[in-house]
Structures are given as C-alpha cells and as structure tokens.
Amino acid sequence: MFWSNTGEISPMDNTFTVIVPVYNEEESLPAFFEAIEQFLGTSPVPTQVLFINDGSSDESPALLRQRCDTEPHLHYLTLDRNYGLSTAIKAGIDNCNTSLVGYIDADLQTKPEDFLLYFEYFPDYDMVNGIRAKRKDSLIKKLSSKFANSYRRLMINDGISDTCCPLKIIKTDYARQMPFFTGMHRFIPALVQLQGGRVREIPVSHYPRLAGTSKYHLLNRLVGPFFDTLAFRWMRSRYISYGIADRSR
C-alpha cells in the first residue's frame, strides 16, 4: 500500500487515494464494493481506497474488515466514535500519502466511474468538484440544498455551484493545508481557493439512493450551513496568507 501517516513512505507521483466515509451503510456497502472495484480496474493512475468507519453501530465494520482483508487496494480506519462527516474526511486526508486525494459517499448517489472525467484537469487545476446534474433527490432535499447553496454564495461569493457534491479530487498538498472545523465539508472548494488554488467544476451523474437511509434531514441541512457559513466568514477574515518578495542566501 502507499498510504500512510507515519512518514516512513514517501509520497508518490501520480497516485490517488479515494476516501469513503462510512456511517451505518451496511445496506449500501455490498453494491459500493462492486462499483469501486470496477473503477479501480479502469483508473489511469495507481489508486487505493480508504474507508473511514465513523463509529458505525450496524454491520458496516464487519463488512469493511471482511472485504479489505482480501482486497489489496482497499483499506479501512475505524474511529473510536461517531464524529461526523468533516472529521471522517480529515482522518482520511491525514492518513493518505498520495499526490491526489478524492472523496465519495458510500450511498452510490454518485458513482466512482465519474472520477475518470476528472484526471484530465490535473495538474492545471488544484481541485475538481462535481456538479450533480438532474439530481434524483426528494423535493425537500433539493429545495434545502438550493437554499443553502444560494445563501453560501451570497455570503462568501465562492462562485461554486454545488459545494457539497460528494465527488471531489484535490491535490493532497492543498487538502492538507485546509483549516478544518466541524462543517468544513461544506466549504472544501472555498478552502482550496483560500490558499490561492484553482477549482474546476464539471457535471457528474446523480442517482436515487438505492439502499439505506440518509443521515441528513431538513433541520441539519439548513441550520448547520447557516452557522457554518458565519464561521467560515470569520475564519476567512483572519486567515494568514503571505508571499515572500526576497530572501538572503
């Protein structure tokens, strides 16, 4: 394997880690395993998958152990309790050592095969973010997402159409420098831009959830983004960034 947080393995060029946060997804995982294996067979760069078990209380941990123990490109970490999506993504970034790092949900509402559309934009861009075309969500979920995206763009003017699309690839150097906080996953493109990074958005397919249940409801899709956006504005106004004009030898 070529992911590690020990410092014993040097980062390799043109390698990719897919982070998959998992919280009580026992019904979705079998189909996800098949979809990610198909992607691994077509990926143009050496690719590993790192599942982050975010304190699941169902059979997800057992399914991850069983599959990852037999597949050399699949790995998992189990957190000691449920921390939430932002922490799971940070844990994945902290424990990968590849030049690119991506993120996808385990519910298969987006498909790993769409990652194949992203690679042509590197190294010109520092992040590629999906735009979920023809979303197959409930009306309430669509409306709450539209409201949250509109409010975020109004408040921080990041120009991103679908910041929470769960299909992203980032240069790992940029991912590691992102300031992390609860709710950070809603601002990953803006956090890359904060470092001066270039973000490209491209359309990706979107599908109905075929198994399991969503972990989000109207309250946490509206109240959370409201306060998180205020937190991001505060953090951005105090973010330290500088350039060096000259130095001694």
Side-chain angles (χ1 to χ4, degrees), residues 45-103:
V45 301
T47 301
Q48 300 276 324
V49 181
L50 178 55
F51 295 92
I52 306 297
N53 172 30
D54 187 23
S56 296
S57 58
D58 64 357
E59 291 300 311
S60 295
L63 292 172
L64 291 174
R65 284 193 297 270
Q66 180 182 15
R67 192 66 178 238
C68 293
D69 284 348
T70 60
E71 300 293 340
H73 299 292
L74 305 185
H75 313 279
Y76 73 90
L77 292 177
T78 293
L79 303 183
D80 57 359
R81 63 176 176 85
N82 175 242
Y83 288 92
L85 183 57
S86 293
T87 300
I89 294 173
K90 174 172 169 53
I93 293 171
D94 288 346
N95 286 276
C96 77
N97 207 1
T98 52
S99 60
L100 298 173
V101 59
Y103 152 58

Short mmCIF file of all heavy atoms in Angstrom, two decimals, residues 45-103:
data_model
loop_
_atom_site.label_atom_id
_atom_site.label_comp_id
_atom_site.label_asym_id
_atom_site.label_seq_id
_atom_site.Cartn_x
_atom_site.Cartn_y
_atom_site.Cartn_z
N VAL A 45 -4.44 6.01 -13.03
CA VAL A 45 -3.32 6.19 -12.10
C VAL A 45 -3.44 5.16 -11.00
O VAL A 45 -4.54 4.66 -10.71
CB VAL A 45 -3.32 7.62 -11.49
CG1 VAL A 45 -3.20 8.67 -12.58
CG2 VAL A 45 -4.56 7.86 -10.64
N PRO A 46 -2.32 4.76 -10.36
CA PRO A 46 -2.41 3.82 -9.23
C PRO A 46 -3.33 4.38 -8.16
O PRO A 46 -3.16 5.52 -7.71
CB PRO A 46 -0.96 3.73 -8.75
CG PRO A 46 -0.13 4.12 -9.93
CD PRO A 46 -0.93 5.15 -10.66
N THR A 47 -4.29 3.59 -7.73
CA THR A 47 -5.35 4.07 -6.85
C THR A 47 -5.57 3.12 -5.68
O THR A 47 -5.56 1.91 -5.85
CB THR A 47 -6.67 4.23 -7.63
OG1 THR A 47 -6.48 5.14 -8.71
CG2 THR A 47 -7.79 4.76 -6.74
N GLN A 48 -5.77 3.72 -4.50
CA GLN A 48 -6.14 2.99 -3.30
C GLN A 48 -7.45 3.58 -2.77
O GLN A 48 -7.79 4.72 -3.07
CB GLN A 48 -5.07 3.13 -2.22
CG GLN A 48 -3.70 2.60 -2.62
CD GLN A 48 -3.57 1.10 -2.39
OE1 GLN A 48 -4.12 0.57 -1.44
NE2 GLN A 48 -2.85 0.43 -3.25
N VAL A 49 -8.16 2.80 -2.00
CA VAL A 49 -9.41 3.25 -1.39
C VAL A 49 -9.27 3.14 0.12
O VAL A 49 -8.84 2.11 0.64
CB VAL A 49 -10.61 2.40 -1.86
CG1 VAL A 49 -11.91 2.92 -1.24
CG2 VAL A 49 -10.70 2.42 -3.39
N LEU A 50 -9.61 4.21 0.82
CA LEU A 50 -9.52 4.24 2.28
C LEU A 50 -10.91 4.53 2.86
O LEU A 50 -11.41 5.65 2.77
CB LEU A 50 -8.52 5.30 2.74
CG LEU A 50 -8.35 5.50 4.24
CD1 LEU A 50 -8.01 4.18 4.93
CD2 LEU A 50 -7.31 6.55 4.54
N PHE A 51 -11.53 3.50 3.42
CA PHE A 51 -12.82 3.67 4.09
C PHE A 51 -12.58 4.19 5.50
O PHE A 51 -11.73 3.69 6.23
CB PHE A 51 -13.56 2.33 4.18
CG PHE A 51 -13.95 1.74 2.85
CD1 PHE A 51 -13.11 0.85 2.19
CD2 PHE A 51 -15.16 2.08 2.25
CE1 PHE A 51 -13.47 0.30 0.97
CE2 PHE A 51 -15.52 1.54 1.03
CZ PHE A 51 -14.68 0.65 0.39
N ILE A 52 -13.35 5.20 5.89
CA ILE A 52 -13.28 5.72 7.25
C ILE A 52 -14.58 5.34 7.96
O ILE A 52 -15.65 5.92 7.69
CB ILE A 52 -13.10 7.26 7.26
CG1 ILE A 52 -11.88 7.67 6.43
CG2 ILE A 52 -12.97 7.74 8.71
CD1 ILE A 52 -10.56 7.15 6.95
N ASN A 53 -14.51 4.34 8.81
CA ASN A 53 -15.68 3.93 9.57
C ASN A 53 -15.87 4.90 10.73
O ASN A 53 -15.13 4.89 11.70
CB ASN A 53 -15.49 2.50 10.09
CG ASN A 53 -16.60 2.09 11.06
OD1 ASN A 53 -17.72 2.56 10.95
ND2 ASN A 53 -16.26 1.25 12.00
N ASP A 54 -16.89 5.73 10.60
CA ASP A 54 -17.13 6.83 11.54
C ASP A 54 -18.02 6.37 12.69
O ASP A 54 -19.10 6.90 12.91
CB ASP A 54 -17.74 8.02 10.79
CG ASP A 54 -17.87 9.26 11.67
OD1 ASP A 54 -17.13 9.37 12.67
OD2 ASP A 54 -18.71 10.12 11.35
N GLY A 55 -17.56 5.35 13.42
CA GLY A 55 -18.29 4.88 14.59
C GLY A 55 -19.60 4.20 14.27
O GLY A 55 -20.57 4.34 15.02
N SER A 56 -19.67 3.45 13.18
CA SER A 56 -20.90 2.76 12.80
C SER A 56 -21.33 1.78 13.89
O SER A 56 -20.50 1.11 14.52
CB SER A 56 -20.71 2.00 11.48
OG SER A 56 -20.45 2.88 10.42
N SER A 57 -22.65 1.67 14.08
CA SER A 57 -23.21 0.75 15.07
C SER A 57 -23.91 -0.44 14.43
O SER A 57 -24.49 -1.27 15.14
CB SER A 57 -24.18 1.49 16.00
OG SER A 57 -25.23 2.09 15.25
N ASP A 58 -23.87 -0.53 13.09
CA ASP A 58 -24.51 -1.66 12.40
C ASP A 58 -23.43 -2.65 11.98
O ASP A 58 -22.38 -2.76 12.63
CB ASP A 58 -25.35 -1.17 11.22
CG ASP A 58 -24.50 -0.50 10.13
OD1 ASP A 58 -23.27 -0.36 10.33
OD2 ASP A 58 -25.07 -0.13 9.09
N GLU A 59 -23.63 -3.36 10.89
CA GLU A 59 -22.66 -4.37 10.44
C GLU A 59 -21.60 -3.80 9.51
O GLU A 59 -20.80 -4.56 8.95
CB GLU A 59 -23.39 -5.52 9.75
CG GLU A 59 -24.24 -6.37 10.69
CD GLU A 59 -23.39 -7.01 11.78
OE1 GLU A 59 -22.34 -7.61 11.43
OE2 GLU A 59 -23.77 -6.90 12.96
N SER A 60 -21.57 -2.49 9.34
CA SER A 60 -20.57 -1.89 8.44
C SER A 60 -19.15 -2.25 8.82
O SER A 60 -18.34 -2.61 7.93
CB SER A 60 -20.74 -0.37 8.41
OG SER A 60 -21.98 0.01 7.85
N PRO A 61 -18.74 -2.20 10.09
CA PRO A 61 -17.34 -2.57 10.42
C PRO A 61 -16.98 -3.98 10.01
O PRO A 61 -15.89 -4.23 9.49
CB PRO A 61 -17.29 -2.38 11.95
CG PRO A 61 -18.36 -1.40 12.26
CD PRO A 61 -19.46 -1.69 11.28
N ALA A 62 -17.89 -4.92 10.22
CA ALA A 62 -17.61 -6.31 9.85
C ALA A 62 -17.48 -6.45 8.34
O ALA A 62 -16.60 -7.17 7.84
CB ALA A 62 -18.72 -7.22 10.37
N LEU A 63 -18.34 -5.77 7.59
CA LEU A 63 -18.26 -5.82 6.13
C LEU A 63 -16.95 -5.22 5.63
O LEU A 63 -16.33 -5.75 4.70
CB LEU A 63 -19.45 -5.08 5.52
CG LEU A 63 -20.82 -5.72 5.72
CD1 LEU A 63 -21.91 -4.77 5.23
CD2 LEU A 63 -20.91 -7.05 4.96
N LEU A 64 -16.51 -4.13 6.24
CA LEU A 64 -15.25 -3.49 5.83
C LEU A 64 -14.07 -4.40 6.12
O LEU A 64 -13.18 -4.57 5.28
CB LEU A 64 -15.08 -2.16 6.55
CG LEU A 64 -16.04 -1.04 6.13
CD1 LEU A 64 -15.85 0.18 7.02
CD2 LEU A 64 -15.83 -0.65 4.67
N ARG A 65 -14.03 -4.99 7.31
CA ARG A 65 -12.92 -5.89 7.64
C ARG A 65 -12.86 -7.06 6.67
O ARG A 65 -11.79 -7.43 6.17
CB ARG A 65 -13.08 -6.40 9.08
CG ARG A 65 -12.72 -5.38 10.15
CD ARG A 65 -12.60 -6.05 11.51
NE ARG A 65 -13.85 -6.64 11.94
CZ ARG A 65 -14.77 -5.99 12.65
NH1 ARG A 65 -14.57 -4.73 13.01
NH2 ARG A 65 -15.89 -6.60 13.02
N GLN A 66 -14.02 -7.65 6.40
CA GLN A 66 -14.06 -8.82 5.53
C GLN A 66 -13.56 -8.49 4.13
O GLN A 66 -12.77 -9.24 3.55
CB GLN A 66 -15.49 -9.36 5.47
CG GLN A 66 -15.66 -10.59 4.61
CD GLN A 66 -17.11 -11.06 4.55
OE1 GLN A 66 -18.03 -10.32 4.93
NE2 GLN A 66 -17.33 -12.27 4.09
N ARG A 67 -14.01 -7.38 3.58
CA ARG A 67 -13.64 -7.04 2.20
C ARG A 67 -12.20 -6.52 2.11
O ARG A 67 -11.44 -6.90 1.21
CB ARG A 67 -14.60 -6.00 1.64
CG ARG A 67 -14.49 -5.79 0.14
CD ARG A 67 -14.92 -7.02 -0.63
NE ARG A 67 -14.86 -6.83 -2.05
CZ ARG A 67 -15.89 -6.97 -2.87
NH1 ARG A 67 -17.08 -7.30 -2.37
NH2 ARG A 67 -15.77 -6.79 -4.15
N CYS A 68 -11.82 -5.66 3.04
CA CYS A 68 -10.48 -5.06 2.97
C CYS A 68 -9.38 -6.08 3.26
O CYS A 68 -8.25 -5.92 2.78
CB CYS A 68 -10.38 -3.89 3.93
SG CYS A 68 -11.44 -2.48 3.49
N ASP A 69 -9.69 -7.10 4.02
CA ASP A 69 -8.69 -8.13 4.31
C ASP A 69 -8.35 -8.98 3.09
O ASP A 69 -7.32 -9.66 3.07
CB ASP A 69 -9.17 -9.04 5.45
CG ASP A 69 -9.07 -8.37 6.80
OD1 ASP A 69 -8.42 -7.31 6.89
OD2 ASP A 69 -9.66 -8.89 7.78
N THR A 70 -9.22 -8.95 2.08
CA THR A 70 -9.00 -9.80 0.90
C THR A 70 -8.67 -9.01 -0.35
O THR A 70 -8.31 -9.62 -1.36
CB THR A 70 -10.25 -10.66 0.63
OG1 THR A 70 -11.38 -9.80 0.39
CG2 THR A 70 -10.56 -11.57 1.82
N GLU A 71 -8.78 -7.67 -0.31
CA GLU A 71 -8.52 -6.85 -1.48
C GLU A 71 -7.34 -5.92 -1.20
O GLU A 71 -7.42 -5.08 -0.30
CB GLU A 71 -9.75 -6.03 -1.86
CG GLU A 71 -10.99 -6.85 -2.19
CD GLU A 71 -10.83 -7.66 -3.47
OE1 GLU A 71 -9.95 -7.30 -4.28
OE2 GLU A 71 -11.59 -8.61 -3.65
N PRO A 72 -6.24 -6.05 -1.94
CA PRO A 72 -5.03 -5.29 -1.60
C PRO A 72 -5.15 -3.79 -1.76
O PRO A 72 -4.37 -3.04 -1.17
CB PRO A 72 -3.98 -5.86 -2.58
CG PRO A 72 -4.77 -6.41 -3.72
CD PRO A 72 -6.05 -6.93 -3.11
N HIS A 73 -6.11 -3.31 -2.54
CA HIS A 73 -6.26 -1.87 -2.77
C HIS A 73 -7.30 -1.23 -1.87
O HIS A 73 -7.54 -0.03 -1.97
CB HIS A 73 -6.60 -1.59 -4.23
CG HIS A 73 -5.54 -2.05 -5.19
ND1 HIS A 73 -4.31 -1.45 -5.26
CD2 HIS A 73 -5.53 -3.04 -6.12
CE1 HIS A 73 -3.58 -2.06 -6.19
NE2 HIS A 73 -4.30 -3.03 -6.71
N LEU A 74 -7.93 -2.02 -1.02
CA LEU A 74 -8.96 -1.50 -0.11
C LEU A 74 -8.43 -1.52 1.32
O LEU A 74 -7.89 -2.53 1.78
CB LEU A 74 -10.23 -2.33 -0.20
CG LEU A 74 -10.87 -2.52 -1.58
CD1 LEU A 74 -12.19 -3.28 -1.45
CD2 LEU A 74 -11.09 -1.19 -2.29
N HIS A 75 -8.61 -0.41 2.03
CA HIS A 75 -8.15 -0.28 3.41
C HIS A 75 -9.22 0.42 4.23
O HIS A 75 -10.10 1.09 3.67
CB HIS A 75 -6.85 0.51 3.47
CG HIS A 75 -5.83 0.07 2.48
ND1 HIS A 75 -5.02 -1.03 2.67
CD2 HIS A 75 -5.50 0.57 1.25
CE1 HIS A 75 -4.23 -1.19 1.63
NE2 HIS A 75 -4.51 -0.23 0.75
N TYR A 76 -9.14 0.29 5.54
CA TYR A 76 -10.11 0.99 6.38
C TYR A 76 -9.46 1.49 7.67
O TYR A 76 -8.46 0.95 8.13
CB TYR A 76 -11.31 0.10 6.71
CG TYR A 76 -11.02 -1.01 7.71
CD1 TYR A 76 -11.18 -0.80 9.08
CD2 TYR A 76 -10.56 -2.26 7.28
CE1 TYR A 76 -10.90 -1.82 9.99
CE2 TYR A 76 -10.30 -3.26 8.18
CZ TYR A 76 -10.46 -3.04 9.53
OH TYR A 76 -10.18 -4.03 10.43
N LEU A 77 -10.06 2.53 8.22
CA LEU A 77 -9.76 3.01 9.57
C LEU A 77 -11.09 3.08 10.32
O LEU A 77 -12.09 3.50 9.75
CB LEU A 77 -9.14 4.40 9.55
CG LEU A 77 -7.73 4.58 8.97
CD1 LEU A 77 -7.36 6.06 9.00
CD2 LEU A 77 -6.73 3.78 9.76
N THR A 78 -11.08 2.71 11.57
CA THR A 78 -12.28 2.81 12.39
C THR A 78 -12.04 3.86 13.48
O THR A 78 -11.11 3.72 14.28
CB THR A 78 -12.64 1.46 13.04
OG1 THR A 78 -13.05 0.56 12.01
CG2 THR A 78 -13.79 1.62 14.03
N LEU A 79 -12.85 4.91 13.49
CA LEU A 79 -12.75 5.93 14.53
C LEU A 79 -13.38 5.41 15.81
O LEU A 79 -14.25 4.53 15.79
CB LEU A 79 -13.44 7.21 14.07
CG LEU A 79 -12.91 7.81 12.75
CD1 LEU A 79 -13.62 9.13 12.45
CD2 LEU A 79 -11.41 8.01 12.78
N ASP A 80 -12.96 5.96 16.95
CA ASP A 80 -13.40 5.41 18.23
C ASP A 80 -14.84 5.76 18.59
O ASP A 80 -15.41 5.21 19.52
CB ASP A 80 -12.46 5.82 19.37
CG ASP A 80 -12.32 7.33 19.50
OD1 ASP A 80 -12.94 8.07 18.71
OD2 ASP A 80 -11.59 7.78 20.42
N ARG A 81 -15.43 6.70 17.84
CA ARG A 81 -16.84 7.02 17.99
C ARG A 81 -17.30 7.77 16.75
O ARG A 81 -16.49 8.05 15.86
CB ARG A 81 -17.10 7.85 19.25
CG ARG A 81 -16.44 9.23 19.26
CD ARG A 81 -16.84 10.01 20.50
NE ARG A 81 -16.17 11.31 20.60
CZ ARG A 81 -16.61 12.43 20.01
NH1 ARG A 81 -17.72 12.41 19.26
NH2 ARG A 81 -15.95 13.57 20.16
N ASN A 82 -18.56 8.11 16.70
CA ASN A 82 -19.08 8.88 15.58
C ASN A 82 -18.75 10.36 15.76
O ASN A 82 -19.18 10.99 16.72
CB ASN A 82 -20.60 8.68 15.46
CG ASN A 82 -21.21 9.54 14.37
OD1 ASN A 82 -22.04 10.39 14.66
ND2 ASN A 82 -20.81 9.34 13.15
N TYR A 83 -17.97 10.90 14.80
CA TYR A 83 -17.57 12.30 14.87
C TYR A 83 -18.28 13.18 13.85
O TYR A 83 -18.34 14.39 14.02
CB TYR A 83 -16.06 12.42 14.65
CG TYR A 83 -15.22 11.93 15.79
CD1 TYR A 83 -14.77 10.61 15.82
CD2 TYR A 83 -14.84 12.77 16.82
CE1 TYR A 83 -13.98 10.14 16.86
CE2 TYR A 83 -14.04 12.32 17.87
CZ TYR A 83 -13.62 11.00 17.89
OH TYR A 83 -12.84 10.55 18.92
N GLY A 84 -18.75 12.62 12.76
CA GLY A 84 -19.35 13.42 11.71
C GLY A 84 -18.50 13.45 10.46
O GLY A 84 -17.32 13.08 10.45
N LEU A 85 -19.12 13.93 9.37
CA LEU A 85 -18.50 13.83 8.05
C LEU A 85 -17.19 14.61 7.94
O LEU A 85 -16.21 14.13 7.35
CB LEU A 85 -19.50 14.32 6.99
CG LEU A 85 -19.07 14.23 5.54
CD1 LEU A 85 -18.68 12.82 5.16
CD2 LEU A 85 -20.18 14.74 4.62
N SER A 86 -17.14 15.83 8.48
CA SER A 86 -15.92 16.62 8.35
C SER A 86 -14.72 15.93 8.99
O SER A 86 -13.62 15.90 8.42
CB SER A 86 -16.12 18.01 8.98
OG SER A 86 -17.05 18.76 8.25
N THR A 87 -14.93 15.35 10.17
CA THR A 87 -13.84 14.66 10.85
C THR A 87 -13.42 13.42 10.08
O THR A 87 -12.23 13.10 9.98
CB THR A 87 -14.25 14.27 12.28
OG1 THR A 87 -14.57 15.46 13.02
CG2 THR A 87 -13.14 13.52 13.00
N ALA A 88 -14.39 12.69 9.53
CA ALA A 88 -14.07 11.50 8.75
C ALA A 88 -13.22 11.85 7.53
O ALA A 88 -12.24 11.16 7.21
CB ALA A 88 -15.35 10.79 8.31
N ILE A 89 -13.55 12.94 6.86
CA ILE A 89 -12.76 13.37 5.70
C ILE A 89 -11.35 13.78 6.14
O ILE A 89 -10.35 13.41 5.51
CB ILE A 89 -13.46 14.52 4.96
CG1 ILE A 89 -14.77 14.02 4.34
CG2 ILE A 89 -12.55 15.10 3.88
CD1 ILE A 89 -15.61 15.12 3.73
N LYS A 90 -11.26 14.51 7.24
CA LYS A 90 -9.93 14.91 7.75
C LYS A 90 -9.10 13.69 8.11
O LYS A 90 -7.90 13.64 7.80
CB LYS A 90 -10.08 15.82 8.95
CG LYS A 90 -8.74 16.14 9.62
CD LYS A 90 -8.84 17.18 10.69
CE LYS A 90 -7.55 17.29 11.51
NZ LYS A 90 -6.35 17.48 10.68
N ALA A 91 -9.71 12.70 8.75
CA ALA A 91 -8.97 11.49 9.10
C ALA A 91 -8.43 10.81 7.85
O ALA A 91 -7.31 10.29 7.85
CB ALA A 91 -9.88 10.54 9.89
N GLY A 92 -9.23 10.79 6.79
CA GLY A 92 -8.77 10.20 5.54
C GLY A 92 -7.59 10.96 4.95
O GLY A 92 -6.60 10.36 4.50
N ILE A 93 -7.68 12.29 4.93
CA ILE A 93 -6.59 13.11 4.40
C ILE A 93 -5.32 12.92 5.24
O ILE A 93 -4.21 12.81 4.71
CB ILE A 93 -7.00 14.59 4.33
CG1 ILE A 93 -8.12 14.78 3.29
CG2 ILE A 93 -5.81 15.48 4.01
CD1 ILE A 93 -8.75 16.15 3.30
N ASP A 94 -5.49 12.86 6.55
CA ASP A 94 -4.34 12.69 7.44
C ASP A 94 -3.64 11.34 7.22
O ASP A 94 -2.45 11.20 7.53
CB ASP A 94 -4.77 12.77 8.90
CG ASP A 94 -5.14 14.19 9.33
OD1 ASP A 94 -4.82 15.14 8.60
OD2 ASP A 94 -5.77 14.33 10.40
N ASN A 95 -4.37 10.37 6.72
CA ASN A 95 -3.83 9.01 6.62
C ASN A 95 -3.64 8.55 5.19
O ASN A 95 -3.59 7.35 4.92
CB ASN A 95 -4.75 8.04 7.36
CG ASN A 95 -4.62 8.16 8.86
OD1 ASN A 95 -3.75 7.57 9.47
ND2 ASN A 95 -5.50 8.97 9.48
N CYS A 96 -3.50 9.48 4.26
CA CYS A 96 -3.13 9.10 2.90
C CYS A 96 -1.82 9.77 2.55
O CYS A 96 -1.44 10.77 3.14
CB CYS A 96 -4.23 9.49 1.89
SG CYS A 96 -4.27 11.23 1.46
N ASN A 97 -1.12 9.19 1.61
CA ASN A 97 0.19 9.73 1.22
C ASN A 97 0.35 9.60 -0.29
O ASN A 97 1.27 8.97 -0.78
CB ASN A 97 1.31 8.97 1.94
CG ASN A 97 2.55 9.83 2.12
OD1 ASN A 97 2.57 10.99 1.72
ND2 ASN A 97 3.58 9.26 2.71
N THR A 98 -0.58 10.19 -1.01
CA THR A 98 -0.59 10.17 -2.46
C THR A 98 -0.65 11.60 -2.97
O THR A 98 -0.93 12.52 -2.22
CB THR A 98 -1.81 9.38 -2.98
OG1 THR A 98 -3.00 9.88 -2.37
CG2 THR A 98 -1.67 7.89 -2.69
N SER A 99 -0.41 11.78 -4.24
CA SER A 99 -0.39 13.14 -4.79
C SER A 99 -1.78 13.72 -4.93
O SER A 99 -1.97 14.94 -4.91
CB SER A 99 0.32 13.15 -6.15
OG SER A 99 -0.35 12.31 -7.06
N LEU A 100 -2.78 12.86 -5.09
CA LEU A 100 -4.17 13.29 -5.21
C LEU A 100 -5.01 12.55 -4.18
O LEU A 100 -4.76 11.38 -3.88
CB LEU A 100 -4.72 13.01 -6.61
CG LEU A 100 -4.06 13.70 -7.79
CD1 LEU A 100 -4.63 13.18 -9.11
CD2 LEU A 100 -4.23 15.22 -7.71
N VAL A 101 -6.02 13.24 -3.65
CA VAL A 101 -6.95 12.61 -2.73
C VAL A 101 -8.37 12.98 -3.14
O VAL A 101 -8.64 14.12 -3.52
CB VAL A 101 -6.66 13.03 -1.27
CG1 VAL A 101 -6.76 14.54 -1.08
CG2 VAL A 101 -7.56 12.30 -0.29
N GLY A 102 -9.25 11.99 -3.12
CA GLY A 102 -10.63 12.22 -3.51
C GLY A 102 -11.59 11.82 -2.41
O GLY A 102 -11.20 11.22 -1.40
N TYR A 103 -12.85 12.13 -2.63
CA TYR A 103 -13.88 11.82 -1.64
C TYR A 103 -15.16 11.43 -2.37
O TYR A 103 -15.54 12.03 -3.37
CB TYR A 103 -14.11 13.05 -0.75
CG TYR A 103 -15.49 13.19 -0.15
CD1 TYR A 103 -16.03 12.18 0.65
CD2 TYR A 103 -16.25 14.33 -0.38
CE1 TYR A 103 -17.30 12.32 1.19
CE2 TYR A 103 -17.51 14.48 0.16
CZ TYR A 103 -18.04 13.47 0.95
OH TYR A 103 -19.29 13.60 1.48
#
